Amino acid sequence: MHILCKSNCYGLILTHLVFKSKIFYLIKYVLCCAFKKFQEAIVSTAIAGAIVGAAVGGWMNDRFGRRTSILLADILFLIGSVIMAAAPSPGVLVLGRVFVGLGVGMASMASPLYISEASPTKVRGALVALNSFLITGGQFLSYLINLAFTKAPGTWRWMLGVAAAPAIIQVVLMFTLPESPRWLFRKGKEEEAKAILRKIYPPNDVEEEIQALHDSVATELEQAGSSEKISIIKLLKTKAVRRGLVAGMGLQIFQQFTGINTVMYYSPTIVQLAGVASNQTAMLLSLITSGLNAFGSILSIYFIDKTGRKKLALLSLCGCVVALALLTFTFRQTETHSPMISAVETAHFNNTCPGFSQAVNANEWDCMKCLKAECGFCASDVSSKRLPGACLISNDATKGMCQKEHRAWYTQGCPSKIGWLAIVGLALYIIFFSPGMGTVPWVVNSEIYPLRYRGVCGGIASTTCWVSNLIVSQSFLTLTVAIGTAWTFMLFGFVALVGILFVLIFVPETKGVPIEEVEQMLEERGLHFKFWEKRSPTQKA
């Protein structure tokens, strides 16, 4: 335990990640509520900033150091939160969101990279997994705050502006933390780096670690010559870097395209698609989903250095396939067995949906057709939601008329007797995803690249993550309209199946391998399907 205390990186993890996750997901919720018509575009604004931040941050990590990059990210958080709190118009609010996105992108790889390079080998995975736990814990906290302020008008400025406080705290605390010892070694500051390593490792291990790091840096400098320039061509020509990028970028792509952020961004919407009419109930169920995400991250802290990165990712993806299959079945059943539309019930309100009144085959209309016509479904009554109901114009006045008669009002999904299975499917998905694919990509990307290329390659992988995130978040609601919710989840399940094959073939096991030996492992490894067998870094496939 004394070794971990001496590593002196917990202050960074706690202040940075709770702040980052809380404000990032809090902003998403506030903006989605304020501009629901442009929900996908608004959610994507900060992600676009994160893409730029990740791309620039990779270069900054190698040029100026991990600590400086995190400090700059804090400053961007601070500026963004102040702008949003004082925003006089939606345009200015979005501008502040872009600043926050830049900070998120820069910090998304700098933080796990810093933690990885400042941690003992035996607990390196657990400490980077702690990074993921504080992110998911911040999401859970943001849902609690959202729920607390749902009926408090005008408080969104405080909700967004309060994020400036942790940013300021972290800026102060960062000045008490050392730079990454591996980056210092790479820049020729060996004595300073050795002093930090002696605080991290026990006396009987530190000299071996210093010698391994010294040899690794010497080899890299010999290969690189006097040039400090790094080109894409040079990256791709280096076998270890190329293999590392394939594994690292691929993990980030599959992390996003298995649909995790659609669950986290749109979980209230998905719960309503399952047939839950109440917005507040949907938010409460989403709070449970967020709590399961945080719990899964705790499991990752325990298992990642015991089970291994590769096995954990494979178990995670297999579980996601099962959960997504359940979601596909449930939503398909909901879509094909929704309540019929009654002309009598509809006429009762004098606010008939235009599509229904003009339909040639109105007697064949059901709740799903009504919602696809951008109208609302007013259930027959609270106790018999699956009986034929009314298809009405979707607005606040109509909603009030429906609820005044103690009926449920649906605009996202239809009532179903198996809608609860969708909640079970979402819970299973989070439980399987969070400990594995939620954490493994960040752990692997923090340790798989040679020291000379670590910042740049980490930035490339992080940019890949945010670009994938943008594509998925921008297209999810569009996909549900175009092909239906059921087939959208089936598509995510197919991606998860492909991800299993990818991890089996391309991702090496880095559990217990010193960072300086990972490059050697990548140089020598071939395909290694028997991932459960122990394999030393120098063992050839």
Side-chain angles (χ1 to χ4, degrees):
M1 182 62 70
H2 71 283
I3 299 172
L4 301 183
C5 294
K6 288 181 178 179
S7 66
N8 203 20
C9 64
Y10 289 113
L12 164 74
I13 302 171
L14 181 61
T15 57
H16 166 66
L17 288 161
V18 170
F19 159 68
K20 178 180 76 173
S21 54
K22 174 186 170 184
I23 184 62
F24 195 51
Y25 287 91
L26 183 59
I27 296 165
K28 290 181 189 302
Y29 173 76
V30 171
L31 287 174
C32 285
C33 291
F35 309 105
K36 190 170 182 180
K37 186 177 180 181
F38 304 102
Q39 190 173 12
E40 286 178 342
I42 293 297
V43 165
S44 302
T45 304
I47 303 174
I51 291 170
V52 177
V56 175
W59 170 78
M60 283 197 63
N61 266 284
D62 279 338
R63 177 72 170 161
F64 302 106
R66 318 329 184 195
R67 185 167 167 266
T68 302
S69 298
I70 294 170
L71 277 169
L72 180 57
D74 285 334
I75 293 169
L76 288 169
F77 288 137
L78 177 59
I79 293 171
S81 60
V82 171
I83 290 175
M84 289 185 298
S89 65
V92 178
L93 191 64
V94 169
L95 176 64
R97 184 171 163 79
V98 170
F99 272 92
V100 170
L102 288 169
V104 169
M106 291 187 68
S108 60
M109 198 61 220
S111 294
L113 187 57
Y114 178 91
I115 297 165
S116 177
E117 292 186 344
S119 302
T121 301
K122 291 182 180 179
V123 292
R124 187 177 65 226
L127 289 179
V128 178
L130 181 60
N131 172 76
S132 295
F133 164 67
L134 290 174
I135 291 175
T136 55
Q139 292 175 22
F140 180 73
L141 183 60
S142 72
Y143 273 106
L144 285 175
I145 293 172
N146 296 343
L147 197 61
F149 284 102
T150 48
K151 295 185 178 180
T155 56
W156 62 269
R157 294 185 186 276
W158 288 102
M159 293 166 69
L160 299 178
V162 74
I168 294 170
I169 293 170
Q170 177 164 297
V171 168
V172 174
L173 290 178
M174 280 304 299
F175 285 106
T176 69
L177 295 174
E179 181 52 85
S180 160
R182 287 171 170 80
W183 184 84
L184 290 171
F185 238 105
R186 181 68 182 78
K187 294 300 179 180
K189 302 178 181 180
E190 294 189 12
E191 292 307 315
E192 188 177 346
K194 289 177 181 178
I196 297 169
L197 287 170
R198 289 190 177 100
K199 293 180 180 179
I200 298 173
Y201 289 86
N204 56 321
D205 293 339
V206 69
E207 293 305 323
E208 182 181 347
E209 182 68 23
I210 290 172
Q211 186 59 45
L213 184 54
H214 180 274
D215 293 343
S216 174
V217 171
T219 302
E220 286 189 5
L221 290 174
E222 183 181 345
Q223 292 173 349
S226 59
S227 174
E228 285 291 324
K229 293 182 179 179
I230 298 175
S231 66
I232 296 297
I233 295 175
K234 195 175 215 179
L235 287 176
L236 297 178
K237 281 185 177 179
T238 307
K239 186 192 294 184
V241 177
R242 184 174 65 251
R243 287 177 170 174
L245 276 174
V246 168
M249 292 173 65
L251 282 171
Q252 296 288 20
I253 289 170
F254 284 107
Q255 182 192 62
Q256 299 302 316
F257 277 89
T258 49
I260 179 58
N261 280 309
T262 62
V263 174
M264 298 314 299
Y265 297 164
Y266 301 113
S267 52
T269 301
I270 293 172
V271 169
Q272 287 186 329
L273 287 171
V276 177
S278 168
N279 287 333
Q280 194 163 11
T281 302
M283 184 59 68
L284 280 168
L285 289 171
S286 299
L287 180 63
I288 296 172
T289 300
S290 182
L292 288 172
N293 197 23
F295 174 72
S297 298
I298 296 174
L299 293 179
S300 181
I301 294 171
Y302 179 78
F303 284 110
I304 198 158
D305 283 318
K306 295 179 181 293
T307 306
R309 288 72 158 136
K310 189 166 185 171
K311 187 184 291 186
L312 205 55
L314 288 169
L315 290 172
S316 176
L317 285 167
C318 289
C320 287
V321 169
V322 173
L324 288 166
L326 177 60
L327 286 168
T328 300
F329 168 78
T330 304
F331 279 106
R332 187 58 186 160
Q333 286 294 108
T334 302
E335 290 169 1
T336 55
H337 294 79
S338 63
M340 300 300 294
I341 301 298
S342 165
V344 175
E345 290 286 337
T346 302
H348 170 71
F349 288 95
N350 278 329
N351 215 354
T352 304
C353 170
F356 178 74
S357 60
Q358 297 169 13
V360 177
N361 55 343
N363 60 327
E364 297 179 3
W365 270 49
D366 59 12
C367 173
M368 289 305 301
K369 276 193 176 182
C370 178
L371 299 191
K372 287 179 180 178
E374 298 185 357
C375 294
F377 177 76
C378 183
S380 179
D381 59 62
V382 174
S383 60
S384 305
K385 295 178 183 178
R386 293 189 296 276
L387 291 176
C391 184
L392 309 172
I393 295 173
S394 181
N395 55 39
D396 290 340
T398 310
K399 177 181 177 181
M401 287 168 30
C402 176
Q403 292 179 337
K404 189 176 181 181
E405 296 191 7
H406 304 290
R407 302 184 182 204
W409 175 251
Y410 296 86
T411 56
Q412 297 288 341
C414 295
S416 169
K417 63 181 179 181
I418 63 168
W420 60 272
L421 276 176
I423 312 301
V424 174
L426 285 175
L428 284 175
Y429 177 85
I430 292 296
I431 289 170
F432 279 112
F433 181 93
S434 184
M437 287 302 290
T439 302
V440 169
W442 296 108
V443 175
V444 170
N445 273 287
S446 71
E447 59 192 11
I448 200 171
Y449 306 113
L451 180 58
R452 172 172 164 77
Y453 304 102
R454 199 164 292 157
V456 170
C457 290
I460 292 172
S462 187
T463 302
T464 301
C465 171
W466 292 113
V467 170
S468 302
N469 188 319
L470 178 64
I471 293 170
V472 174
S473 63
Q474 185 71 17
S475 62
F476 173 70
L477 293 182
T478 303
L479 273 174
T480 59
V481 172
I483 64 175
T485 310
W487 304 131
T488 301
F489 280 110
M490 187 181 73
L491 185 62
F492 290 149
F494 177 75
V495 172
L497 277 173
V498 176
I500 292 171
L501 295 176
F502 175 86
V503 173
L504 276 170
I505 297 171
F506 295 106
V507 178
E509 180 55 75
T510 55
K511 180 188 76 169
V513 181
I515 290 180
E516 285 67 45
E517 295 181 16
V518 172
E519 180 180 1
Q520 183 182 357
M521 179 179 66
L522 288 171
E523 286 281 359
E524 297 177 345
R525 75 179 290 273
L527 302 183
H528 183 55
F529 291 101
K530 296 182 179 180
F531 59 90
W532 55 86
E533 293 181 354
K534 281 195 170 183
R535 182 171 182 267
S536 67
T538 58
Q539 179 186 342
K540 293 184 179 181

